[in-house]
Amino acid sequence: MNLLIVTLGVIILLPLALLLVPVTFQAQACLAEKTAGEARMAWAGGLFAARFVFANSKPDFFVRFGIWEKRLPKAGSHSKQKKISGTKKPNKQMNFRQVKAFINTSLLKEVCRFLNRFQRSLNLSLEGEYGTDDPALTGFIAGILAALNSGRFSLHLHPNFSETTLNLRGEISGRLIPMVLICQFFVFLLAASVRKIWWSALKQKFTIKGVC
């Protein structure tokens, strides 16, 4: 009986203990006509690490455990062809026009509050130009960036309200504890202004299933 209790305790507590081990990461990227970048992540002081390299439209992914490192094989062309030839499912997700109804000062504050919690753990430098096909969305992004452009965040981004464009260059590094991130993310999802969005999406999904 005691052995069973100890076993159950290990099964329950071990995943929680693993989620309390810090994760460090670093990434540099350039998003323009040609996209290139590199990202590194390390867990438990480098005991387990991953590296992603993207250049000339050819992504490479590496994993490392201790001193052993392996390059993961790329997805085969057969799976890509299967996805293309397969029957396309109707898009039942909410588009931005539906989400735009929920954008207000309260939502902006919740997004900024969620992102500001990580400023002490992140170093972000970003410059360039961005624009979407909806000026309201571009303005919403500009408001969030303006609120975050302080402390460890160095954001020199210029909104383009006349056309869709994305030309960014930057780097980010930081150290996070997965358990803390998960808890704060759930707190963010349960905020009233955020809950309205995903709750409306769930109701729409169930309604479509009920009709079909």
Side-chain angles (χ1 to χ4, degrees):
M1 186 66 181
N2 292 334
L3 180 61
L4 178 60
I5 295 175
V6 172
T7 304
L8 291 175
V10 171
I11 294 174
I12 295 172
L13 295 178
L14 183 59
L16 297 177
L18 294 177
L19 289 174
L20 290 173
V21 179
V23 174
T24 58
F25 59 90
Q26 182 179 12
Q28 299 100 16
C30 175
L31 302 177
E33 294 181 359
K34 292 184 178 180
T35 302
E38 181 177 355
R40 301 172 181 268
M41 182 190 71
W43 178 80
L47 178 64
F48 176 82
R51 181 164 60 96
F52 176 80
V53 180
F54 187 87
N56 299 323
S57 301
K58 295 180 180 179
D60 289 302
F61 191 75
F62 303 84
V63 293
R64 180 169 58 85
F65 184 77
I67 61 174
W68 177 83
E69 185 177 52
K70 179 177 177 59
R71 176 181 178 180
L72 298 183
K74 299 178 182 179
S77 58
H78 178 71
S79 60
K80 293 182 180 179
Q81 185 177 0
K82 185 176 180 181
K83 289 181 180 180
I84 296 174
S85 60
T87 304
K88 293 183 179 180
K89 295 182 180 181
N91 185 11
K92 300 177 182 179
Q93 296 181 352
M94 296 174 63
N95 55 39
F96 178 69
R97 291 185 178 179
Q98 293 171 297
V99 177
K100 186 165 62 174
F102 299 98
I103 293 180
N104 49 39
T105 305
S106 178
L107 177 62
L108 180 61
K109 287 181 179 179
E110 288 297 335
V111 174
C112 292
R113 187 178 294 116
F114 173 71
L115 295 175
N116 278 328
R117 294 189 183 107
F118 305 108
Q119 283 202 11
R120 295 181 180 179
S121 303
L122 300 180
N123 290 285
L124 174 63
S125 176
L126 197 61
E127 62 180 16
E129 182 184 26
Y130 66 94
T132 69
D133 57 353
D134 192 315
L137 176 58
T138 303
F140 180 71
I141 296 173
I144 294 177
L145 295 176
L148 293 174
N149 196 8
S150 62
R152 295 178 178 267
F153 287 180
S154 177
L155 307 177
H156 302 284
L157 300 172
H158 307 285
N160 189 328
F161 294 95
S162 60
E163 61 179 345
T164 300
T165 182
L166 186 63
N167 189 348
L168 304 177
R169 298 168 303 280
E171 60 179 294
I172 184 173
S173 62
R175 179 178 180 273
L176 296 172
I177 298 177
M179 177 62 74
V180 175
L181 177 62
I182 292 171
C183 292
Q184 293 182 345
F185 181 69
F186 275 106
V187 171
F188 170 73
L189 288 180
L190 293 176
S193 55
V194 181
R195 188 172 64 246
K196 289 180 181 178
I197 298 177
W198 59 261
W199 181 246
S200 178
L202 284 178
K203 289 196 297 184
Q204 183 187 43
K205 183 177 181 180
F206 289 136
T207 301
I208 294 175
K209 286 185 176 181
V211 172
C212 297

